[in-house]
Amino acid sequence: MVSLSSPANIESFYKFTDDVSNPELFESWKPKIASYQKALSSALPEEYKLPESEIPSTLDDESFNTVKFLFETKHLSAAEHEITESSATQLLEKLSSKKLTAVEVLKAFAHRAVIAHQLTNLACEFFINEGLARAKQLDEQFATTGKLAGPLHGIPISLKEQIGYAGKITHGGWVGWLDNIPKEDAVTVQVLRNLGAVFYVRTNEPQTLMHLDSNNNIVGRTRNPHNSLLTAGGSSGGEGACVGAKGSPLGVGTDIGGSIRAPAAFSGTYGLRPTTRRISTFGGVSSGKGQESVVAVAGPLAGHLEDIELFMKSYINDGQPWNIDQWCIPVPWRDVPVPEPSKLTVAIMYDDGIVKALPPIERGLKYTEEKLKKAGVNVIEFKPLACEELYKLANEMYSCDGNYAQKEMLRPSGEPLLPLTKWALSFGKGDHAYTVTENRELNYQRDNLRKLYNDYFVKNKVDLILCPNYCGTAPVCAQDGVEGPYYWGYTSHFNVLDLPGLVVPTGLYADKNVDVKSSHQPRSEIEAIEYNKYKPELVHDAPIALQLVGRRYFDEEVVAIGKLFKQVLELKE
Amino acid sequence: MVSLSSPANIESFYKFTDDVSNPELFESWKPKIASYQKALSSALPEEYKLPESEIPSTLDDESFNTVKFLFETKHLSAAEHEITESSATQLLEKLSSKKLTAVEVLKAFAHRAVIAHQLTNLACEFFINEGLARAKQLDEQFATTGKLAGPLHGIPISLKEQIGYAGKITHGGWVGWLDNIPKEDAVTVQVLRNLGAVFYVRTNEPQTLMHLDSNNNIVGRTRNPHNSLLTAGGSSGGEGACVGAKGSPLGVGTDIGGSIRAPAAFSGTYGLRPTTRRISTFGGVSSGKGQESVVAVAGPLAGHLEDIELFMKSYINDGQPWNIDQWCIPVPWRDVPVPEPSKLTVAIMYDDGIVKALPPIERGLKYTEEKLKKAGVNVIEFKPLACEELYKLANEMYSCDGNYAQKEMLRPSGEPLLPLTKWALSFGKGDHAYTVTENRELNYQRDNLRKLYNDYFVKNKVDLILCPNYCGTAPVCAQDGVEGPYYWGYTSHFNVLDLPGLVVPTGLYADKNVDVKSSHQPRSEIEAIEYNKYKPELVHDAPIALQLVGRRYFDEEVVAIGKLFKQVLELKE
């Protein structure tokens, strides 16, 4: 086994041929990229912008905490501060009792989002004026009729850019899609708008949508709002940064391997990867068209746990997405009470046998375990269950078309491949295309693993698996030259299994003095990459978050248990 | 366009190479087949059997009506007659009030099933003694505890042989699987047993499970219980014959293209193809392992509509199959009242544009349309919606592994290919194997068609599509030398769309004097095959049934509307 410390070594993993990037062709796309970037920056209202002089020039060289800055800055008024620190649920009460208007709410979040963007590069597109017009119309409608437009009346919601939006460029991180302007909104946009939501920002994501980082050749990388040296995660990294910085109370991401959960964890917010077929993904740009072996989902990120429930319940019960997307099952969101601790069994996983939790996450798990035990929860050990098979299977399923779909989306622009794109194109057998028979065999293996886990939950009366969301906190991405994060297993396992996963912060943060490097000896190349990447002094201040995984379609129970965690961990939001 | 009248012409459709049948190898399997057949015939209790002298020797040459024979025969006692004419729902009442014992109930159905088998060849396996032991145990348990074992306490249920049964050969119609003896029951067997069901017969199906007829090289063909010259349909043809002849009050079939619905319609029973993921298919023998483009389902056949609901409700709400099969969604069966006719919109399809309904079915549709209108139902015309695409897609999806899975299952025995197997191996592009990318493209096309239909239902406020289940009644199979039925579109369309379909008899029967050949000019080879096959004098007495198709996951509404149809059509069960 080779110990790895530089990206050059990662080439040993490469299983693809770069027959898509084409510097000459890419040259011809640069004016389009420039004009896209210009539109983005000129969409930032002057009155909201932080003066250039106050933007540290060292964001990519020294840790900068945007969250702390925004909490303390005088650029936000007291009223804006109060609004943006509130949950959507609290805002709804104030909107319905006329203590606030939708315009006031949007202005506050838009202001905070703009500053957050200046510091973290979270957005692909702002359209605050459209949002204000919509908010105004909602206010007027409410004043006239006395009726709220819906259960999300006047709530600003940020959207991952990949989600199709009528009349707006929807590129999904692929340069070659800069000409794509959907005629119709994605189903989720339609549903949320019908519920009264207000849109004003679309957020960043990686090239190919297949990195746990958010970097592309269109607007570049999003920084972590807690520490500017760290990744904001991916692929919904712009959402993580936006919600984490309280630039929006609620955001929508998508997740096929961890893309909601990594950004939520890295930015210290809540995030739910629901079971498939509850929240529509119809109308987004992706390379997953017709790929059904491991299916992408959409779901919410929020700074307040109650808003995760607000989103799910109103989206499903009031939004009835099955009327516009047959893929969504017509099944209501159930009201599930917070469970009694003594009736709960939680199985904890410290190590999936592939990449053991790094010191900060290990500390977070131990801390949580103690708190749970003290509260009376029955805590047992989760021994890795076929995790190697799950990891292998995820990667094979992603790429079993021999990277055909990805390459077809990269080719039109000839854009250069980013390091993590090369990593993603090396999943499974990389460029090797499977036969239909081989793909069916993967599906069959997957179903056996799903059975194994379902049996585990039922036979052991386990309510929840508590585990890392990623082996570490948000890692450094650019500065160590290794361009991580690389290991998706802690999240992708549950995409293969289609189990709901809720990201919950622990209230703890990485501490360079406490979370010193462990003496654990890496058991594999992938573990060596992640362990060598871990630099306690660089990840200081990064939120420590964990993942709560429940049974398939028991999303409601997972969120209810999340509420118990919030109580037990005495989380402040 | 060539008019077709002999099987030779159907070779023009063939798109496969027979590289699996091997006469020499097959020779070595013949003793195993003989011993299987012997076990079947020797499992028929002497005291239940019809004397050989009373079995017409002309069953395959002249129409014989087993249903009528059984209704009139003195071989069944008055008590047996009363029991077997009852619904499971009625029997449950008598069982719980101790007016009947489970042993009495099983004996009556087993007796009727044995005679029905002698006349129609419906079974692969009888195990009446095991059933009686189980019934006795249920009676004793009830006597001791005063508690019923479950909501299906003492109800005899027939099972399609393909559904795995612990300790019993489970071949699925493939000779090469005669050595397959599952160690565990299929999930559906486990669920039903837990609910109190009693098993005693496993029923016939075709080679490959992919014919709308039930013929194989193991026990041969099942005859239609209404007319021995006609097919009983397939692939759950043994179920259709058994339930149709009242050899069981409830049966379980499976359906990937019409395999519950064709047998139910052909034998004049009710049959429901539920939406996917409501009834488990886990633990069955099939060629569909890992194939997710068009997914097989399991569902009930019953002589009484109320038993379709009894099955679905108790299986789902009490059986909670998701605890043993994660594929099943944990969503209760909802109580839905019979709709008011004036609030109902039914869209009727007489012709899908590929094969127009034959005269008896056209008459059934017109008759039903008039009755519905008279009752106040809003009836509109259903114009074919992308039916050609749906038909093409179904066939491509079945075979896009280039027949790999089917051939792997046929090869071990070298058994000869039956005509309808050759037909099934010619679906789509036959032996041509698709790439994963091509398969994904099919899935994508399918999802667009699903959207088209969902939009149709929602935008037009249509509650139900009423359509043929097959272009005709049960056709002749052996005697015309054409070995139909060939056209699956009226059912397979809805497998592609994953819409629930309920088969409802009209109370009408084909009449050689009324349903004379039409002057309709076939528009295609497939229509010509079906129109040329239609012989009014041969299909006389065949039940005329129709299909009720609802929205995805609105199975409950479809069954509730079925109840209205029963009232409106004044159906006698």
Side-chain angles (χ1 to χ4, degrees):
Chain A
M1 199 213 59
V2 184
S3 173
L4 301 173
S5 64
S6 83
N9 291 4
I10 290 172
E11 284 178 19
S12 64
F13 283 88
Y14 288 168
K15 282 175 254 170
F16 74 98
T17 303
D18 180 1
D19 48 9
V20 291
S21 67
N22 178 341
E24 206 173 323
L25 175 60
F26 182 54
E27 215 45 50
S28 72
W29 283 81
K30 286 189 175 165
K32 205 162 272 170
I33 294 172
S35 117
Y36 186 83
Q37 289 175 348
K38 199 179 160 200
L40 169 58
S41 61
S42 59
L44 305 179
E46 285 305 321
E47 67 272 26
Y48 288 168
K49 278 164 77 174
L50 200 63
E52 290 292 328
S53 59
E54 293 189 39
I55 302 174
S57 60
T58 54
L59 284 173
D60 294 325
D61 307 309
E62 284 172 31
S63 170
F64 181 83
N65 191 326
T66 298
V67 170
K68 192 160 165 253
F69 174 85
L70 285 165
F71 191 78
E72 292 166 355
T73 185
K74 297 294 170 214
H75 287 286
L76 294 173
S77 69
E80 285 174 328
H81 185 86
E82 193 186 334
I83 288 170
T84 52
E85 290 291 325
S86 303
S87 70
T89 307
Q90 291 164 335
L91 292 170
L92 278 165
E93 206 196 293
K94 289 186 182 164
L95 284 159
S96 67
S97 60
K98 304 198 177 173
K99 287 184 195 120
L100 283 175
T101 65
V103 167
E104 287 167 328
V105 170
L106 180 62
K107 280 185 170 172
F109 279 103
H111 191 179
R112 195 156 176 164
V114 165
I115 301 177
H117 172 69
Q118 289 178 284
L119 296 165
T120 64
N121 194 39
L122 65 85
C124 285
E125 185 177 27
F126 274 101
F127 44 104
I128 296 168
N129 284 338
E130 285 176 46
L132 284 172
R134 155 82 168 159
K136 193 158 166 271
Q137 179 231 314
L138 288 168
D139 285 334
E140 286 167 0
Q141 190 184 312
F142 184 38
T144 314
T145 64
K147 276 186 188 167
L148 296 175
L152 297 177
H153 177 103
I155 300 301
I157 293 187
S158 49
L159 299 167
K160 187 178 186 179
E161 193 277 345
Q162 166 262 344
I163 300 167
Y165 202 105
K168 298 189 186 299
I169 293 169
T170 300
H171 53 67
W174 287 275
V175 172
W177 284 68
L178 278 169
D179 289 329
N180 178 52
I181 300 179
K183 288 201 183 98
E184 247 197 352
D185 286 326
V187 166
T188 283
V189 174
Q190 293 179 45
V191 168
L192 293 173
R193 184 181 282 119
N194 286 340
L195 298 174
V198 177
F199 308 119
Y200 58 111
V201 61
R202 298 170 73 209
T203 61
N204 202 24
E205 66 227 338
Q207 183 186 46
T208 72
L209 294 173
M210 293 293 282
H211 314 172
L212 286 195
D213 176 39
S214 290
N215 189 13
N216 57 51
N217 291 316
I218 303 170
V219 300
R221 170 178 282 129
T222 299
R223 298 181 196 95
N224 189 296
H226 291 269
N227 173 338
S228 60
L229 299 181
L230 308 182
T231 176
S235 64
S236 315
E239 280 307 311
C242 189
V243 174
K246 303 193 171 167
S248 62
L250 263 171
V252 188
T254 56
D255 189 318
I256 197 172
S259 285
I260 288 171
R261 290 161 292 164
F266 292 179
S267 289
T269 78
Y270 298 92
L272 177 66
R273 186 216 96 100
T275 308
T276 50
R277 303 180 64 182
R278 301 205 75 168
I279 306 295
S280 176
T281 56
F282 192 90
V285 169
S286 88
S287 65
K289 219 173 66 169
Q291 191 274 91
E292 304 195 295
S293 297
V294 52
V295 173
V297 300
L301 294 91
H304 302 259
L305 181 55
E306 61 187 0
D307 292 344
I308 295 284
E309 191 167 35
L310 170 71
F311 179 95
M312 294 300 291
K313 188 172 175 177
S314 55
Y315 186 104
I316 294 172
N317 295 5
D318 299 288
Q320 306 197 353
W322 49 86
N323 286 331
I324 38 179
D325 181 5
Q326 55 76 35
W327 180 76
C328 293
I329 48 173
V331 173
W333 179 267
R334 294 170 284 112
D335 285 318
V336 171
V338 178
E340 281 180 46
S342 64
K343 291 189 178 157
L344 199 68
T345 296
V346 172
I348 301 198
M349 167 160 59
Y350 281 88
D351 180 1
D352 71 352
I354 306 171
V355 181
K356 187 174 179 286
L358 288 160
I361 299 299
E362 195 174 27
R363 177 161 65 88
L365 282 165
K366 277 187 187 149
Y367 170 81
T368 307
E369 179 173 1
E370 280 161 27
K371 294 265 187 184
L372 289 174
K373 282 180 172 166
K374 205 169 279 175
V377 172
N378 180 32
V379 179
I380 64 171
E381 185 192 349
F382 182 85
K383 293 188 187 126
L385 205 55
C387 289
E388 292 197 22
E389 289 91 322
L390 284 168
Y391 183 57
K392 188 166 168 282
L393 209 49
N395 288 343
E396 285 190 90
M397 285 172 164
Y398 294 140
S399 64
C400 68
D401 68 341
N403 291 324
Y404 179 87
Q406 280 293 359
K407 287 188 170 182
E408 284 303 293
M409 297 188 79
L410 291 162
R411 207 185 308 274
S413 71
E415 61 179 308
L417 304 182
L418 298 178
L420 284 181
T421 295
K422 294 177 181 176
W423 176 248
L425 293 176
S426 302
F427 286 161
K429 295 186 183 168
D431 277 355
H432 172 78
Y434 285 53
T435 63
V436 165
T437 296
E438 288 166 335
N439 194 358
R440 290 184 184 180
E441 176 60 28
L442 297 180
N443 297 343
Y444 182 69
Q445 287 174 26
R446 179 204 62 199
D447 286 349
N448 285 330
L449 294 173
R450 287 181 176 176
K451 178 165 173 51
L452 186 72
Y453 270 76
N454 201 50
D455 287 352
Y456 172 81
F457 275 107
V458 174
K459 290 183 182 160
N460 298 289
K461 296 196 169 103
V462 165
D463 298 288
L464 194 88
I465 298 171
L466 173 65
C467 61
N469 188 72
Y470 164 67
C471 51
T473 61
V476 170
C477 216
Q479 291 73 9
D480 68 352
V482 189
E483 295 268 357
Y486 284 89
Y487 183 62
W488 297 12
Y490 284 106
T491 45
S492 68
H493 295 338
F494 305 110
N495 293 81
V496 173
L497 297 169
D498 193 22
L499 301 181
L502 177 72
V503 171
V504 174
T506 57
L508 305 179
Y509 293 84
D511 185 328
K512 60 189 172 190
N513 302 312
V514 177
D515 303 316
V516 295
K517 285 203 93 152
S518 88
S519 60
H520 176 69
Q521 283 306 308
R523 298 158 292 187
S524 63
E525 279 191 289
I526 182 75
E527 194 171 33
I529 294 175
E530 294 289 359
Y531 267 70
N532 290 336
K533 268 188 72 64
Y534 177 59
K535 306 274 190 311
E537 65 285 3
L538 290 180
V539 301
H540 193 71
D541 269 354
I544 296 175
L546 300 174
Q547 183 180 205
L548 280 55
V549 176
R551 286 181 63 193
R552 201 174 186 196
Y553 289 104
F554 287 71
D555 305 61
E556 289 88 339
E557 280 73 9
V558 170
V559 173
I561 298 172
K563 291 182 198 167
L564 179 71
F565 271 65
K566 191 186 142 190
Q567 289 170 16
V568 166
L569 295 169
E570 298 168 87
L571 296 179
K572 288 186 189 64
E573 293 172 344
Chain B
M1 199 212 62
V2 185
S3 171
L4 301 172
S5 64
S6 83
N9 291 6
I10 289 172
E11 284 177 17
S12 65
F13 283 89
Y14 289 168
K15 283 176 251 166
F16 73 100
T17 303
D18 180 1
D19 48 9
V20 292
S21 67
N22 177 341
E24 207 172 323
L25 176 60
F26 183 53
E27 216 42 52
S28 72
W29 284 81
K30 286 189 175 166
K32 205 161 271 169
I33 295 171
S35 117
Y36 186 83
Q37 289 175 348
K38 200 181 160 198
L40 168 59
S41 61
S42 59
L44 306 180
E46 285 305 323
E47 66 271 28
Y48 289 167
K49 279 164 78 176
L50 201 63
E52 290 293 327
S53 58
E54 292 190 39
I55 302 174
S57 60
T58 54
L59 285 172
D60 294 325
D61 306 308
E62 285 172 29
S63 170
F64 180 84
N65 191 326
T66 298
V67 170
K68 192 162 165 247
F69 173 85
L70 285 165
F71 193 77
E72 292 166 354
T73 183
K74 297 296 172 210
H75 286 286
L76 294 172
S77 69
E80 285 173 328
H81 185 87
E82 194 185 334
I83 289 169
T84 52
E85 291 290 327
S86 302
S87 71
T89 308
Q90 291 163 334
L91 292 170
L92 278 165
E93 205 196 295
K94 290 185 181 165
L95 284 159
S96 67
S97 59
K98 303 199 175 171
K99 285 184 196 121
L100 282 176
T101 65
V103 167
E104 286 168 329
V105 170
L106 179 62
K107 279 184 170 171
F109 279 102
H111 192 180
R112 196 156 176 163
V114 165
I115 299 177
H117 172 69
Q118 290 178 285
L119 297 165
T120 63
N121 193 40
L122 65 86
C124 285
E125 186 177 27
F126 274 102
F127 44 104
I128 296 168
N129 282 339
E130 287 175 44
L132 285 172
R134 155 83 167 161
K136 193 158 165 270
Q137 179 232 314
L138 287 169
D139 285 335
E140 286 168 359
Q141 190 184 314
F142 184 39
T144 314
T145 65
K147 276 186 189 165
L148 295 176
L152 296 177
H153 177 103
I155 299 302
I157 293 187
S158 49
L159 298 167
K160 186 178 186 178
E161 193 277 344
Q162 167 262 343
I163 300 168
Y165 202 106
K168 298 190 185 299
I169 294 169
T170 301
H171 54 69
W174 287 274
V175 171
W177 284 68
L178 278 169
D179 289 330
N180 177 53
I181 301 178
K183 289 202 181 98
E184 247 196 354
D185 285 325
V187 165
T188 283
V189 173
Q190 293 179 45
V191 169
L192 294 174
R193 184 181 283 118
N194 287 340
L195 298 175
V198 176
F199 307 120
Y200 59 109
V201 61
R202 297 170 72 211
T203 60
N204 202 25
E205 67 229 337
Q207 183 185 44
T208 73
L209 294 173
M210 293 293 282
H211 313 173
L212 286 195
D213 176 39
S214 290
N215 189 13
N216 57 51
N217 290 316
I218 303 170
V219 299
R221 171 179 281 130
T222 299
R223 297 180 196 95
N224 190 297
H226 290 268
N227 173 339
S228 60
L229 298 182
L230 308 181
T231 176
S235 66
S236 315
E239 280 307 312
C242 189
V243 175
K246 303 193 170 168
S248 62
L250 262 171
V252 188
T254 56
D255 189 320
I256 197 172
S259 284
I260 288 171
R261 291 162 291 165
F266 292 178
S267 288
T269 78
Y270 298 92
L272 177 68
R273 186 217 95 100
T275 308
T276 49
R277 303 180 64 181
R278 300 206 73 169
I279 306 294
S280 175
T281 55
F282 191 90
V285 169
S286 88
S287 65
K289 220 172 66 170
Q291 190 274 89
E292 304 195 297
S293 298
V294 51
V295 173
V297 300
L301 294 90
H304 303 259
L305 181 56
E306 60 186 1
D307 292 344
I308 296 284
E309 190 166 36
L310 170 72
F311 179 96
M312 294 300 290
K313 187 173 176 177
S314 55
Y315 186 104
I316 294 173
N317 295 5
D318 300 288
Q320 305 197 352
W322 48 85
N323 286 331
I324 39 179
D325 181 5
Q326 55 75 36
W327 180 77
C328 293
I329 48 173
V331 174
W333 180 267
R334 294 170 286 112
D335 285 317
V336 170
V338 178
E340 280 179 48
S342 64
K343 292 190 177 157
L344 199 68
T345 297
V346 172
I348 301 197
M349 165 160 60
Y350 281 88
D351 180 0
D352 71 352
I354 306 172
V355 182
K356 186 173 180 285
L358 288 160
I361 299 298
E362 196 174 28
R363 176 161 65 90
L365 283 166
K366 277 187 188 151
Y367 171 82
T368 306
E369 179 173 4
E370 280 160 27
K371 294 266 187 185
L372 289 174
K373 282 180 171 165
K374 204 169 282 176
V377 172
N378 179 32
V379 179
I380 63 171
E381 185 193 351
F382 181 86
K383 291 187 187 129
L385 205 56
C387 289
E388 291 196 23
E389 289 92 321
L390 285 167
Y391 183 57
K392 188 167 168 281
L393 209 49
N395 289 343
E396 285 190 271
M397 284 173 164
Y398 294 140
S399 65
C400 67
D401 69 340
N403 292 323
Y404 179 88
Q406 280 293 359
K407 287 188 170 182
E408 283 304 292
M409 296 188 80
L410 291 162
R411 207 184 309 274
S413 71
E415 61 179 309
L417 304 182
L418 299 178
L420 284 181
T421 294
K422 295 177 182 175
W423 175 249
L425 293 176
S426 303
F427 285 161
K429 295 187 183 168
D431 277 355
H432 172 78
Y434 284 53
T435 63
V436 165
T437 296
E438 288 166 336
N439 194 357
R440 291 184 184 179
E441 176 59 28
L442 297 179
N443 297 343
Y444 182 69
Q445 287 173 27
R446 179 205 62 200
D447 286 349
N448 286 330
L449 294 172
R450 287 181 177 177
K451 179 167 173 48
L452 186 72
Y453 270 76
N454 201 51
D455 287 351
Y456 173 82
F457 275 106
V458 173
K459 290 182 182 161
N460 298 288
K461 298 199 168 101
V462 165
D463 298 289
L464 194 88
I465 298 172
L466 173 66
C467 61
N469 188 73
Y470 164 67
C471 51
T473 62
V476 170
C477 215
Q479 291 76 7
D480 68 353
V482 188
E483 294 267 359
Y486 284 90
Y487 182 62
W488 297 13
Y490 284 106
T491 44
S492 68
H493 295 336
F494 305 110
N495 293 82
V496 173
L497 297 169
D498 193 22
L499 301 181
L502 177 71
V503 170
V504 173
T506 57
L508 304 179
Y509 294 83
D511 185 328
K512 60 187 171 190
N513 301 313
V514 177
D515 304 316
V516 295
K517 285 202 94 154
S518 89
S519 59
H520 176 69
Q521 281 306 308
R523 296 158 293 186
S524 63
E525 279 191 288
I526 182 74
E527 194 170 34
I529 292 176
E530 294 289 1
Y531 267 70
N532 290 336
K533 269 188 70 66
Y534 177 58
K535 305 274 189 308
E537 64 286 3
L538 290 179
V539 302
H540 193 73
D541 269 354
I544 296 174
L546 301 174
Q547 184 180 202
L548 280 56
V549 176
R551 286 180 62 191
R552 201 174 185 195
Y553 290 104
F554 287 70
D555 305 60
E556 290 88 337
E557 280 74 7
V558 170
V559 173
I561 299 172
K563 291 182 199 166
L564 179 71
F565 271 65
K566 192 186 142 189
Q567 289 169 16
V568 165
L569 295 169
E570 299 169 88
L571 295 180
K572 289 187 188 64
E573 294 172 343

